Structures are given as C-alpha cells and as structure tokens.
Amino acid sequence: MKLRPGDAAPAAQVRDLGGRAVDLAALAAARPALLFFYKGDCPASGLAAHALPRLAAVPGVAVAAISQDGDAETRAFAARHALAAVSVLVDPAPYPASDAFGVLATPTWFLVAPGGRVDAMAEGWSRDDANALAARAAALAGRPAPVVSTAADGPAFRPG
C-alpha cells in the first residue's frame, strides 16, 4: 500500500554507495526530508533529477535520491545529473525500502516532515508538483520557497 500524507514513514533501510546502512526515517528525525525513489533508465526520473540539487540547496532540507539500480548505474546517474549535494542511496533488489513506502512507479517523491510523518507525495514528473514539494519542504524548514524547475528545464509533465 502506497503511503499517503499523514502516514508514518517506515524505518526502511537502504545503503549509501560506500555500503553503509542508512535508515530513511532517521533522515527526517529533525528536519524535512525529500525522498526521491527512481530508476536510472526511467525517462521521467531523468527529467525530474534536475530539481534535486536545487532543492538540496535549501538550508535545513535533506534530499535523498534512492536508486533501484546497482552501484555502477547509480553512480552514473548521479554524475549525469550533478547530484553531488544530494544523498545518493541504493535500495537493492528486491527493493525493501521501495516496498515499505509503497512505490509503484518511478519517480516517486515523498516529503517527510520532522518527526517522521509523510507530509506530501507525488509520482512521475510534474513541474508543478516539484515546485509545490520544494515550497512545502522549505516552509517546514522555515525558509523561502525556491523555484526548482522552470520552462527552460524541458517538459512540464511526464508520467512515471
């Protein structure tokens, strides 16, 4: 079952590219966290990725890109989309974190508020959704709303 706003975020485990375990619920313990579940060969994931570094530039917001690929593909995606300021994580097959969050399509975005409740979510690529998630994340962090995508970034919508 897909998580919805108001649901508690599960204490799902992923790993970083160094092999260390990361608890996704812990990312939002004290600050808002935007969790971006993606697949590297998904066209909508590729369109959406440009927004992640812009959101990661908002002080007080954690941004994690959670790959459903192997390490090599994950590194390549991160390099291709300039995700140096984003926590790049791997949810290895059979995708336990994706299952715990109820991810049915990529990309799927979850904004988790401090304390661990899902505040907002979106699927696929929508410029309006990305900017709304960024505004909400910034509000939770007490920061001004950033614009993370404009018409110059390409299509406004693509389903996941």
Side-chain angles (χ1 to χ4, degrees):
M1 182 170 84
K2 184 185 320 177
L3 294 180
R4 295 286 181 202
D7 291 343
Q13 296 283 317
V14 293
R15 63 176 173 77
D16 66 18
L17 288 169
R20 291 174 295 277
V22 176
D23 182 346
L24 293 179
L27 289 177
R31 61 185 175 157
L34 189 283
L35 309 178
F36 176 79
F37 288 85
Y38 77 93
K39 186 89 171 132
D41 63 357
C42 167
S45 293
L47 283 173
H50 75 274
L52 299 176
R54 296 172 186 171
L55 184 53
V58 177
V61 176
V63 178
I66 303 151
S67 171
Q68 295 178 339
D69 297 310
D71 289 3
E73 297 93 341
T74 300
R75 282 187 178 92
F77 186 91
R80 191 167 53 252
H81 296 287
L83 301 184
V86 174
S87 294
V88 178
L89 307 169
V90 177
D91 185 18
Y95 317 115
S98 296
D99 286 345
F101 276 81
V103 173
L104 300 175
T106 57
T108 297
W109 317 58
F110 291 96
L111 175 59
V112 181
R117 293 261 173 219
V118 174
D119 187 87
M121 63 88 53
E123 291 179 322
W125 164 245
S126 162
R127 177 174 299 119
D128 290 343
D129 287 349
N131 284 322
L133 284 167
R136 183 64 186 141
L140 289 170
R143 301 294 181 167
V147 174
V148 296
S149 185
T150 68
D153 295 317
F157 173 80
R158 182 162 191 162

